[in-house]
């Protein structure tokens, strides 16, 4: 790879994470290396406990690595910043704020824009995630899928360079989840960001990502990267194609092998 290109985007270099507990050390991640290009969509797949979410939290500055470095465009990421947005599985909206005020919350805190500018940005994202007509409602009046749309809009409204998604659709029913996947792709194509997403769903990973990173069982490391050569834009019909099925089976086989290792080790 061209060295100039290597220096841009997200670089995860020799990342290790060891948790020290009263019952001994837990080695969560071992010498993990990964390069994510600018505006690329990468999905992390692996067995439970392989360190996917830990890695995501380290990129977001929420968890400190034991060793190694995380760099974005030649700048080391060591703490939470406006450059990195994050959406979790659990809804993290402020229940006392309306949809529009939740979306605009981060913009208000930064105090870099006028109220008119904030209003314009919020309206843009209300439309982008399909919540026009719901902007005055409070989270308790929204379905799970709608709440996650607000969470995604709030993260994007701050214009981060990187968007981190930790099982954002894990709590949704199957139909809503599939609709949200297509919505996410549509939003990403209209407002491109570097996205790293953690999911346990093999089909979801293959459908959304440019590359699927399959991680080994604990201690986690990159076992294999699957390049997803499927045309964009994508919709649900691609899931019945032979190429999609082949990618899905390859990822499933890798995760199954890692799961079998855990069973043999009695973990």
């Amino acid at each position: 790879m061209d060295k100039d290109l290597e220096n841009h985007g997200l670089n995860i270099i020799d990342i290790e994470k060891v948790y020290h507990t009263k019952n001994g050390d837990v080695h969560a991640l071992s010498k993990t290396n990964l390069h994510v290009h600018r505006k690329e969509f990468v999905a992390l797949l692996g067995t439970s406990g392989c360190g996917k979410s830990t890695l995501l939290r380290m990129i977001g500055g929420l968890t400190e690595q034991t060793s190694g470095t995380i760099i974005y465009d030649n700048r080391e990421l060591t703490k939470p910043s406006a450059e990195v947005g994050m959406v979790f599985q659990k809804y993290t909206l402020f229940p006392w704020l309306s949809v529009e005020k939740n979306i605009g919350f981060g913009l208000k805190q930064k105090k870099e824009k006028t109220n008119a500018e904030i209003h314009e940005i919020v309206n843009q994202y209300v439309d982008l995630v399909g919540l026009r007509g719901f902007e005055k409602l409070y989270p308790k009046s929204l379905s799970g899928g709608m709440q996650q749309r607000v969470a995604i809009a709030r993260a994007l409204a701050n214009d981060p360079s990187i968007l981190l998604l930790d099982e954002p659709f894990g709590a949704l029913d199957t139909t809503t989840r599939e609709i949200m996947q297509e919505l996410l792709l549509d939003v990403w194509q209209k407002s491109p960001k570097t996205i790293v997403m953690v999911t346990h769903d093999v089909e979801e990973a293959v459908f959304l990502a440019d590359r699927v990173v399959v991680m080994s069982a604990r201690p986690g490391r990159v076992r294999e990267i699957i390049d997803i050569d499927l045309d964009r834009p994508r919709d649900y019909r691609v899931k019945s194609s032979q190429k999609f099925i082949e990618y899905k089976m390859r990822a499933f086989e890798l995760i199954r092998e890692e799961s079998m290792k855990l069973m043999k080790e009695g973990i």
Side-chain angles (χ1 to χ4, degrees):
M1 181 186 295
D2 185 277
K3 288 296 180 183
D4 288 337
L5 290 177
E6 282 185 349
N7 290 335
H8 292 86
L10 178 65
N11 283 286
I12 295 160
I13 304 166
D14 290 340
I15 286 294
E16 290 195 271
K17 180 62 181 179
V18 178
Y19 289 100
H20 304 290
T21 73
K22 62 181 180 181
N23 296 319
D25 290 348
V26 177
H27 203 170
L29 284 168
S30 175
K31 291 289 183 183
T32 299
N33 291 276
L34 180 65
H35 176 74
V36 181
H37 301 286
R38 280 181 179 175
K39 300 180 182 179
E40 183 181 25
F41 198 132
V42 166
L44 304 180
L45 270 179
T47 59
S48 293
C50 74
K52 303 183 300 296
S53 292
T54 296
L55 179 57
L56 208 70
R57 291 178 66 84
M58 286 192 287
I59 297 169
L62 301 177
T63 297
E64 185 178 358
Q65 62 264 34
T66 303
S67 63
T69 310
I70 299 173
I71 296 172
Y72 185 78
D73 282 2
N74 293 315
R75 297 185 302 280
E76 187 172 358
L77 300 179
T78 59
K79 59 184 179 181
S81 74
E83 192 166 31
V84 182
M86 195 161 188
V87 178
F88 300 92
Q89 175 178 343
K90 187 176 180 181
Y91 312 133
T92 54
L93 303 181
F94 300 113
W96 59 90
L97 296 180
S98 65
V99 165
E100 61 185 2
K101 289 184 178 179
N102 262 288
I103 294 173
F105 181 81
L107 294 170
K108 285 275 191 182
Q109 299 308 301
K110 289 195 290 187
K111 299 179 181 179
E112 295 173 355
K113 298 186 181 297
T114 66
N115 287 335
E117 289 172 327
I118 292 172
H119 181 71
E120 182 179 349
I121 293 169
V122 168
N123 275 330
Q124 174 191 344
Y125 282 100
V126 164
D127 288 332
L128 196 59
V129 298
L131 287 173
R132 178 60 60 202
F134 298 91
E135 62 268 30
K136 302 294 184 184
L137 297 184
Y138 290 84
K140 66 180 181 181
S141 302
L142 305 177
S143 67
M146 284 182 170
Q147 289 189 52
Q148 282 301 62
R149 291 193 218 178
V150 178
I152 291 169
R154 183 175 65 186
L156 290 173
N158 290 308
D159 195 27
S161 299
I162 304 169
L163 181 62
L164 306 177
L165 304 172
D166 193 359
E167 290 276 6
F169 311 137
L172 304 178
D173 63 82
T174 301
T175 301
T176 304
R177 183 173 189 145
E178 290 180 350
I179 292 170
M180 288 297 295
Q181 290 168 3
E182 292 195 55
L183 173 76
L184 176 60
L185 284 183
D186 184 56
V187 169
W188 173 62
Q189 283 159 189
K190 292 174 180 175
S191 180
K193 306 290 178 188
T194 302
I195 294 184
V196 182
M197 177 180 185
V198 163
T199 178
H200 284 89
D201 189 316
V202 173
E203 184 172 282
E204 179 171 80
V206 174
F207 179 63
L208 293 173
D210 295 312
R211 290 187 296 155
V212 174
V213 177
V214 181
M215 299 183 68
S216 68
R218 193 174 71 216
R221 57 178 174 76
V222 176
R223 171 166 175 181
E224 185 171 316
I225 298 176
I226 305 170
D227 293 310
I228 307 299
D229 183 21
L230 297 170
D231 291 340
R232 295 193 185 275
R234 298 174 192 166
D235 64 26
Y236 67 94
R237 288 169 292 194
V238 76
K239 296 179 181 181
S240 62
S241 70
Q242 185 60 36
K243 284 177 74 174
F244 185 93
I245 293 168
E246 289 172 1
Y247 290 135
K248 180 179 172 181
M249 287 305 299
R250 177 57 184 159
F252 177 78
E253 287 165 1
L254 290 167
I255 292 171
R256 186 176 185 277
E257 287 175 14
E258 294 301 319
S259 297
M260 293 300 290
K261 287 180 187 177
L262 290 178
M263 291 180 66
K264 288 177 181 177
E265 293 170 3
I267 298 177

